[in-house]
Amino acid sequence: MQYKYNIITFGCQMNKNDSERMESVLCNMGLEKVGTPEEADVIIMNSCSVRDSAEDRIFGGARNFAKLKKNKPNLIVAVTGCMPGRDKDKKLFKKLQKVDLYFPTADMVKLPDMLCKLNPDFRKINLASTNLLSTDDKLVLGLDSEYLKITPKYKNDFQAFIPIQTGCDHFCTYCAVPYARGREKNRPLQDILEEIKKLAKNGCKEITLLGEIVNHYVALDPEFFSKENKYSKNDFAKLLWEVNQVEGIERIHWTGPHPIYMDDEVIDALTLPKQINFLHLPVQSGSTEVLRKMNRKHDREFFIDLIKKIKAKKPGISIGTDIIVGFCGESLKEFQDTVDMYKECDFDISYPAKYSTRSGTVADKAFKDDVSIEEKKRRWFVLQDLMKEITYKKNQKFIGKTASVLVERYKDGICAGNSSEMRLTHFSGDKSLVGKIVEVKIKKADTWLLEGDMV
Ligand code: 5AD
Ligand code: SF4
């Protein structure tokens, strides 16, 4: 029998990349990927804990999949990702109905073993064609106990996400990540460079480096930096320089940095030739008092000056940000500080979020979540409307200019991909352009879409 799996991924790019690694484990076990949970024998939900609404979707999913078990008693439902990571006292698990496996991300190396325990039939899968080793009573990955060493099943040949770090030690007071993903752990430089070089050989053009504070990267094996490296102080800037030297890689992107680690070398690295013309730099609030309560370790002026410095170094760079509205005690004046800062920084895009208390965090213990949900919604719309207005205006400036687009998709005569400024761009073309970088002359610009002709 051919067993089938379906993975549903919530949350950030880190989770998407973790799912790519799990796919690789399941494919190596001989399982086949299917498009819907209804067709699957193993359903895995890769959860996100950033907000209540994200966790609610996992509770809902578990309820729905429990119903599928009536017709398919051997169905295995699993939850991994941030929820099991932060749920030390299993309070969340108790609310999940009929979930068979509940494991933190790093335990994906034990997936073959865990699945075989639930259904011994999995052992009958022909292991000869896989890179799994069978031992007496355990089925283990023939790779390593370190999950980041599992080669992911990349979504396509020309783009890849590369985690350089997991976890975070910063403890912003609102954030569940340090609890869900543990302390900051940096990946060896040699592993990162080897993965990127291998990808480049296989035709990969765009690399996105991932980390919770990506610009706080520290190489455990700095001897692998080249002697010619342009930078000397900041390991992340040095890493960017190294990736720039990899033949075949044409675009480099990274997310997410923390403002306090944007030193002169990292700012300079924004001018390296393969760096895309976009930076995502979360600010969270434009009020010094709110930033202090969030434990962001910088004030409003520091951030505004930083944006000025970045724009002076790389004129024309597009900048995106994350903002939380309605954090504990956020007054109308403090919210207005955020609105004013938004205008001053002239962001190209932002991801506003309504504050949602995360159990176990400092904010949950020390402050009152006292901005009403209606007021949070109102503030969210104020920022959303402001973003739309500014983004629309800024997009008009692309008309008549040429954008460099990595084509990701083709449908009905239209090619689609992101420009170097991370603007979704459409143009008439054919399927053979997928995976190529194409120059497109922009003739029409909307809030979320640029349209043009290939030059
Ligand atoms: N409530 C709302 N938004 C949050 N974020 C992180 N934690 C919370 C929370 N408790 C947002 C931040 C972060 C993004 C990934 O999610 O803006 O940058
Ligand atoms: Fe969370 Fe702050 Fe760490 Fe980012 S820096 S992951 S917001 S604790």
Side-chain angles (χ1 to χ4, degrees):
M1 171 171 171
Q2 170 85 66
Y3 286 102
K4 300 181 175 80
Y5 75 88
N6 181 259
I7 301 180
I8 308 156
T9 309
F10 299 86
C12 63
Q13 283 171 339
M14 197 75 93
N15 266 15
K16 285 180 195 148
N17 181 255
D18 292 337
S19 291
E20 290 176 349
R21 283 171 213 276
M22 266 184 297
E23 281 210 32
S24 167
V25 174
L26 296 168
C27 286
N28 279 329
M29 282 184 72
L31 274 78
E32 184 195 336
K33 178 179 177 166
V34 285
T36 64
E38 287 74 19
E39 299 166 79
D41 304 290
V42 178
I43 302 173
I44 301 182
M45 287 187 276
N46 192 0
S47 63
C48 165
S49 284
V50 91
R51 283 181 279 277
D52 260 347
S53 52
E55 289 189 341
D56 285 346
R57 289 167 75 185
I58 303 295
F59 293 124
R63 266 195 306 276
N64 289 338
F65 302 145
K67 288 180 206 147
L68 296 178
K69 287 190 171 186
K70 287 192 187 117
N71 294 328
K72 212 189 253 183
N74 287 335
L75 174 69
I76 295 174
V77 178
V79 174
T80 184
C82 290
M83 264 169 98
R86 80 182 192 96
D87 192 19
K88 301 287 180 274
D89 51 10
K90 295 270 166 38
K91 265 193 193 146
L92 302 172
F93 181 61
K94 282 183 197 126
K95 291 204 284 177
L96 285 164
Q97 286 174 19
K98 299 206 171 157
V99 163
D100 307 284
L101 289 177
Y102 190 65
F103 59 97
T105 309
D107 279 359
M108 71 168 79
V109 288
K110 300 181 196 152
L111 239 183
D113 193 36
M114 294 190 285
L115 290 175
C116 288
K117 278 202 181 108
L118 287 170
N119 182 352
D121 257 9
F122 281 121
R123 272 186 203 287
K124 294 184 194 141
I125 297 168
N126 179 10
L127 294 174
S129 62
T130 74
N131 63 357
L132 300 170
L133 303 173
S134 184
T135 59
D136 283 350
D137 59 347
K138 248 192 171 171
L139 194 65
V140 291
L141 273 173
L143 284 158
D144 205 288
S145 58
E146 173 56 65
Y147 90 96
L148 285 175
K149 293 214 174 190
I150 302 170
T151 306
K153 213 170 172 324
Y154 304 103
K155 71 170 177 170
N156 61 43
D157 296 338
F158 52 89
Q159 288 173 305
F161 293 116
I162 311 286
I164 64 168
Q165 172 195 72
T166 60
C168 180
D169 294 342
H170 196 91
F171 290 93
C172 297
T173 56
Y174 52 81
C175 182
V177 167
Y179 308 91
R181 289 188 171 265
R183 308 302 300 252
E184 180 182 296
K185 208 170 153 210
N186 290 294
R187 218 178 147 193
L189 173 65
Q190 192 187 20
D191 287 8
I192 298 169
L193 292 177
E194 258 174 26
E195 186 177 354
I196 295 174
K197 283 176 190 161
K198 209 161 131 194
L199 280 160
K201 268 203 188 104
N202 292 327
C204 183
K205 295 215 168 76
E206 184 183 72
I207 291 292
T208 304
L209 302 176
L210 298 178
E212 300 301 346
I213 304 188
V214 76
N215 54 345
H216 190 245
Y217 175 73
V218 179
L220 307 166
D221 45 357
E223 64 275 17
F224 289 98
F225 283 124
S226 327
K227 297 214 170 38
E228 311 78 64
N229 200 302
K230 181 177 179 191
Y231 304 112
S232 60
K233 291 187 212 77
N234 186 306
D235 278 4
F236 181 62
K238 285 194 208 171
L239 173 62
L240 289 173
W241 187 90
E242 297 290 341
V243 183
N244 255 269
Q245 311 310 307
V246 179
E247 203 180 313
I249 300 298
E250 293 181 41
R251 303 215 309 190
I252 300 168
H253 179 25
W254 35 279
T255 190
H258 193 296
I260 61 172
Y261 301 111
M262 288 300 294
D263 66 12
D264 288 347
E265 289 197 342
V266 179
I267 296 176
D268 188 82
L270 290 168
T271 64
L272 289 170
K274 295 176 182 176
Q275 166 68 39
I276 59 164
N277 199 16
F278 177 83
L279 172 68
H280 184 78
L281 188 60
V283 62
Q284 314 299 0
S285 169
S287 148
T288 292
E289 175 55 14
V290 175
L291 286 167
R292 192 189 60 76
K293 282 170 76 177
M294 287 177 164
N295 191 31
R296 291 294 289 175
K297 299 202 165 81
H298 66 80
D299 60 15
R300 170 194 173 83
E301 285 67 35
F302 172 87
F303 189 84
I304 293 173
D305 287 347
L306 178 61
I307 295 290
K308 283 185 191 146
K309 220 164 149 184
I310 291 168
K311 288 186 177 173
K313 187 85 199 170
K314 185 154 171 147
I317 190 171
S318 287
I319 301 180
T321 197
D322 289 343
I323 293 172
I324 298 176
V325 297
F327 185 63
C328 311
E330 185 189 64
S331 66
L332 280 173
K333 157 84 178 60
E334 286 163 347
F335 175 65
Q336 191 56 42
D337 282 347
T338 300
V339 173
D340 294 343
M341 180 214 54
Y342 195 101
K343 290 180 189 159
E344 190 163 349
C345 293
D346 201 30
F347 291 113
D348 291 78
I349 189 164
S350 68
Y351 300 89
K354 298 182 272 298
Y355 172 63
S356 162
T357 312
R358 308 287 65 215
S359 55
T361 57
V362 175
D364 177 37
K365 290 178 193 149
F367 310 128
K368 238 172 119 189
D369 178 13
D370 54 1
V371 178
S372 70
I373 185 67
E374 290 73 29
E375 182 57 15
K376 282 179 187 165
K377 275 188 195 155
R378 190 192 68 79
R379 294 180 193 184
W380 187 90
F381 274 111
V382 170
L383 280 184
Q384 189 73 6
D385 290 346
L386 179 63
M387 164 172 62
K388 282 192 198 156
E389 189 190 316
I390 294 182
T391 304
Y392 180 83
K393 239 190 257 161
K394 295 193 91 163
N395 281 357
Q396 299 312 305
K397 296 198 179 137
F398 285 97
I399 294 177
K401 296 214 174 96
T402 304
S404 169
V405 179
L406 173 57
V407 183
E408 287 181 38
R409 297 176 297 277
Y410 165 86
K411 202 178 167 214
D412 302 332
I414 301 294
C415 290
N418 278 322
S419 74
S420 183
E421 292 76 23
M422 293 301 277
R423 284 347 193 246
L424 176 64
T425 307
H426 282 181
F427 64 95
S428 298
D430 60 67
K431 213 175 166 178
S432 69
L433 294 171
V434 174
K436 300 218 163 73
I437 294 173
V438 172
E439 299 300 305
V440 178
K441 184 143 190 216
I442 304 302
K443 55 181 184 193
K444 201 173 153 207
D446 216 327
T447 316
W448 305 123
L449 182 67
L450 303 180
E451 289 173 82
D453 298 316
M454 199 166 117
V455 286

